[in-house]
Amino acid sequence: MTSNTVIDEETVDNMLKEIASALLASDVNVKLVSRLRKNVKGRINLEDLATGLNRRRMIQQAVFEELCEMLNPGKAPYQPKKGKPNVIMFVGLQGSGKTTSCTKYALHYHRKNFKTCLVCADTFRAGAFDQLKQNATKARIPFYGSYTERDPVKIAQDGVDMFKKEGQEIIIVDTSGRHKQEASLFEEMQQIAAAVEPDDVVFVLDSSIGQAAHDQAAAFKDAVSVGSVIMTKLDGHAKGGGALSAVAATESPIVFIGTGEHFDDFEQFQVRSFVSRLLGLGDVGGLMNAIKDAGLDKQPELYQKLSQGVFTLRDMYEQFQNVMKMGPLNKVMSMIPGMSQMMTKGREQESQVRFKKFMTIMDSMTDDELDTENTTKMMTDTRVLRIAQGSGSHPQHVWELLEEFKRFQKMVSKMKHLKIGKNGEMPQMSRNPQQAMAQMGKCLDPRMLKQIGGMSGLQSLMKSMNGVDMSQFMGMDG
């Protein structure tokens, strides 16, 4: 649509074909993609839309709203109630991250002052109780299970009864998974459900399983009354389109998404943020929260240095730390509009390792080397060899760090013309936005500028980010 001067029916059809291909590649069910195309077409009436930019925006909005609508099953998720036992039963295939999700769920509500506990009713998988026990101990959550009892229904019943007597408020029952959808699995689930009478059945879905998501979700929904969905493994390159399929098949809302193996890698599901990232539009709200959570919105000393065009190796070290505080690089990049594709498969891991390697090298430098602006000039082969030996790296890696530092320094020297305030504000942006934008374009790495769509893309990005300090991201392409 950006390249077309006239937005007509043919343009819209071509755009919808592209969106359909992207959604299929993101693991959205074929029938749902077909329904989306039809519904978006129904929402767009070109005769009623104004010409130019407004049409583009309205069409983009129609696609966005339709996807949000598809992720809304029309019913609110179950909300645990304080002061009474809430039995939550987890179901899913083996390997979906079910046991880890149980612990994350328990910890999430434990932090909200609920009395939470775990029951291991998985007698099929060897080591299931050991895993739950280890997780629960680490998270300091009470747990129940048995090494000798082989009947999962009895274990579930006994565990739930015990915790009810103890006054626990959220009792999570972890059930067996299988490699395939076997009849015995569903039968066992139904028996456990009948015994413990859960208030909510949570279906845990591996986001990387692709087009199989719809059929799997539907099979579980037919067997037990699934009330909520948790999507796991969204830290990798799974696009998460299976979420649309899961909601459509179970007619149940997604409550949480798992974005990593750590207990804190667990987010409450926000429809609009998720769709925005799915479409590669970024998630400015999520980005702002990540910046605030990492304490990066208050850095007066850094802003003062940037306004003077001053940048040292110690500043670069701190910026690497700041970026890493915000979480995995691919997750941060997906929040910045237009940059979701910058981190190709395996690249985010490579960049993370690179950051850590450079930080280790800087740990072996003296204060003089870290705090002077002329580090590159004072570096001799002898100094480089000393730093390499002290950090356990090759001298070539030290020279690579210094080259990277020169690139950063060059970028920062241009930033003094932006007249950045002590709180990161840019008064020039309101007084003379065109000049400020041109100056910002000069400061950015050319690869990054190209990735976000040139100067017009930068303008849209700055408008949506409402003046977020871009210095945090200027070197993130690794």
Side-chain angles (χ1 to χ4, degrees), residues 207-222:
S207 64
S208 64
I209 62 168
Q211 290 287 340
H214 185 275
D215 292 341
Q216 278 197 14
F220 275 88
K221 175 69 176 177
D222 291 342

Side-chain angles (χ1 to χ4, degrees), residues 276 281-285 287-288 335-338 437 457-468 470:
S276 192
L281 299 174
D283 174 15
V284 175
L287 181 63
M288 295 292 282
M335 292 179 185
I336 305 173
M437 206 61 73
L458 176 61
Q459 198 165 357
S460 304
L461 174 61
M462 290 305 292
K463 189 176 178 183
S464 64
M465 293 180 80
N466 196 23
V468 171
M470 285 297 289

Side-chain angles (χ1 to χ4, degrees), residues 398-414:
V398 182
W399 288 117
E400 281 176 22
L401 166 64
L402 295 171
E403 280 302 310
E404 193 74 16
F405 173 61
K406 277 166 69 177
R407 188 170 73 88
F408 267 84
Q409 244 187 348
K410 188 178 177 183
M411 217 175 340
V412 172
S413 68
K414 296 175 183 176

Side-chain angles (χ1 to χ4, degrees), residues 16-237:
L16 286 173
K17 278 179 189 172
E18 280 186 37
I19 289 172
S21 299
L23 289 173
L24 288 169
S26 296
D27 303 330
V28 181
N29 181 264
V30 179
K31 289 178 183 175
L32 291 177
V33 172
S34 176
R35 193 177 95 195
L36 176 90
R37 283 183 68 173
K38 184 182 174 185
N39 290 353
V40 169
K41 203 87 186 285
R43 279 177 183 256
I44 300 168
N45 187 342
L46 290 177
E47 300 299 320
D48 295 342
L49 296 180
T51 55
L53 184 65
N54 190 43
R55 280 190 171 190
R56 291 185 176 89
R57 197 173 296 158
M58 292 294 283
I59 292 166
Q60 186 186 67
Q61 192 63 29
V63 175
F64 183 83
E65 294 297 339
E66 186 57 37
L67 282 169
C68 289
E69 194 68 32
M70 287 171 74
L71 278 167
N72 179 12
K75 67 176 184 181
Y78 176 77
Q79 295 294 335
K81 298 168 185 65
K82 294 272 296 175
K84 70 176 280 290
N86 301 268
V87 180
I88 314 294
M89 179 173 151
F90 273 59
V91 299
L93 290 191
Q94 191 170 316
S96 61
K98 183 163 46 62
T99 302
T100 304
S101 296
C102 285
T103 313
K104 289 178 177 180
Y105 188 95
L107 193 56
H108 172 82
Y109 282 105
H110 178 70
R111 286 170 176 165
K112 294 193 168 195
N113 297 319
F114 277 86
K115 294 176 183 173
T116 62
C117 57
L118 294 160
V119 178
C120 180
D122 182 354
T123 58
F124 177 79
R125 180 169 63 93
F129 181 38
D130 284 328
Q131 185 192 352
L132 183 136
K133 184 179 177 181
Q134 188 179 9
N135 287 350
T137 304
K138 193 175 177 183
R140 297 181 179 178
I141 305 288
F143 61 91
Y144 177 84
S146 175
Y147 286 113
T148 54
E149 179 60 61
R150 303 310 300 161
D151 181 1
V153 180
K154 188 174 189 317
I155 294 174
Q157 182 72 72
D158 291 349
V160 169
D161 289 345
M162 184 188 85
F163 285 130
K164 277 183 178 179
K165 286 174 187 172
E166 290 180 5
Q168 297 289 351
E169 294 169 320
I170 295 181
I171 305 167
I172 300 158
V173 181
D174 182 21
T175 63
S176 300
R178 298 285 192 276
H179 285 299
K180 294 180 181 176
Q181 298 159 13
E182 298 171 10
S184 57
L185 165 65
F186 294 124
E187 205 175 301
E188 184 182 293
M189 283 192 310
Q190 289 162 344
Q191 289 170 359
I192 293 174
V196 302
E197 297 178 342
D199 296 287
D200 190 24
V201 176
V202 178
F203 172 54
V204 181
L205 178 69
D206 179 348
S207 64
S208 64
I209 62 168
Q211 290 287 340
H214 185 275
D215 292 341
Q216 278 197 14
F220 275 88
K221 175 69 176 177
D222 291 342
V224 286
S225 54
V226 173
S228 308
V229 177
I230 290 178
M231 293 280 292
T232 62
K233 304 181 186 178
L234 277 164
D235 53 323
H237 284 266

Side-chain angles (χ1 to χ4, degrees), residues 7 86 161 167 220 248 267 302 314 330 334 354 384 386 392 408 423 426 432 461:
I7 307 294
N86 301 268
D161 289 345
F220 275 88
E267 300 175 12
L302 173 67
R314 196 180 297 278
N330 60 327
S334 73
R354 188 174 159 90
V384 168
R386 188 206 81 234
F408 267 84
N423 293 316
M426 288 187 275
N432 192 342
L461 174 61

